Amino acid sequence: MHVAGAVQKPGVVSLPVGSRIFQAIEAAGGVVSNAELNGLNLAEVVSDGAKIQVPVVGEVPQPAPLAGSSGAAGGTGGDVAGAKVNINTASLEELGTLPRVGPVTAQGIIDWRKEHGPFASVDELDAVDGIGPKLMESLKDLVTVQGG
């Protein structure tokens, strides 16, 4: 899962199935001094691929996806508006929130977009250097192409 925001070491952490938000935060080095944990349910179980945004004081926390989301692939519903990253408009930082997408790959997406124009479909991500079949598979349900 991806732990972001007010933590010592933001990034992707690997934890066993059934892990809770507090364990993900610990795996990211713990919180920084201005973290606001009151809005988070630290005992909540998180699912693989989830993003946990630890807010700073005054910021509204984002709920973490629950582990009980029945099946990984093939579901028809469940998309929350704004939950997917739009690869046609996302900044370097926004692209970096995706699992296994670091600054180099994120910049590659932006460079491809500048050179070739907006992505016509999510499947075009495989044309970006550094995005192979496995990464493509992990990203396809987390990104969208809108606008452009």
Side-chain angles (χ1 to χ4, degrees):
M1 60 211 55
H2 180 198
V3 184
V7 292
Q8 297 290 337
K9 299 176 188 171
V12 176
V13 298
S14 295
L15 295 170
V17 172
S19 293
R20 301 184 183 272
I21 288 180
F22 81 91
Q23 293 167 309
I25 292 171
E26 286 175 1
V31 295
V32 296
S33 62
N34 63 340
E36 176 58 71
L37 296 177
N38 289 332
L40 294 174
N41 178 357
L42 298 176
E44 185 175 345
V45 176
V46 292
S47 61
D48 184 35
K51 179 180 179 187
I52 299 163
Q53 180 73 33
V54 179
V56 295
V57 173
E59 183 180 4
V60 178
Q62 298 174 356
L66 301 174
S69 50
S70 63
T76 55
D79 281 348
V80 177
K84 293 187 177 188
V85 173
N86 183 350
I87 57 175
N88 281 334
T89 59
S91 67
L92 185 71
E93 183 177 90
E94 290 167 324
L95 292 167
T97 66
L98 294 165
R100 297 177 44 210
V101 174
V104 172
T105 303
Q107 187 61 53
I109 293 170
I110 291 170
D111 290 346
W112 192 95
R113 194 170 67 199
K114 285 178 183 172
E115 187 174 332
H116 302 282
F119 289 90
S121 74
V122 170
D123 294 333
E124 283 189 340
L125 267 178
D126 69 357
V128 176
D129 284 345
I131 298 182
K134 287 183 181 180
L135 181 54
M136 183 69 194
E137 184 66 27
S138 71
L139 293 178
K140 70 178 184 178
D141 293 330
L142 303 175
V143 298
T144 186
V145 292
Q146 297 173 348

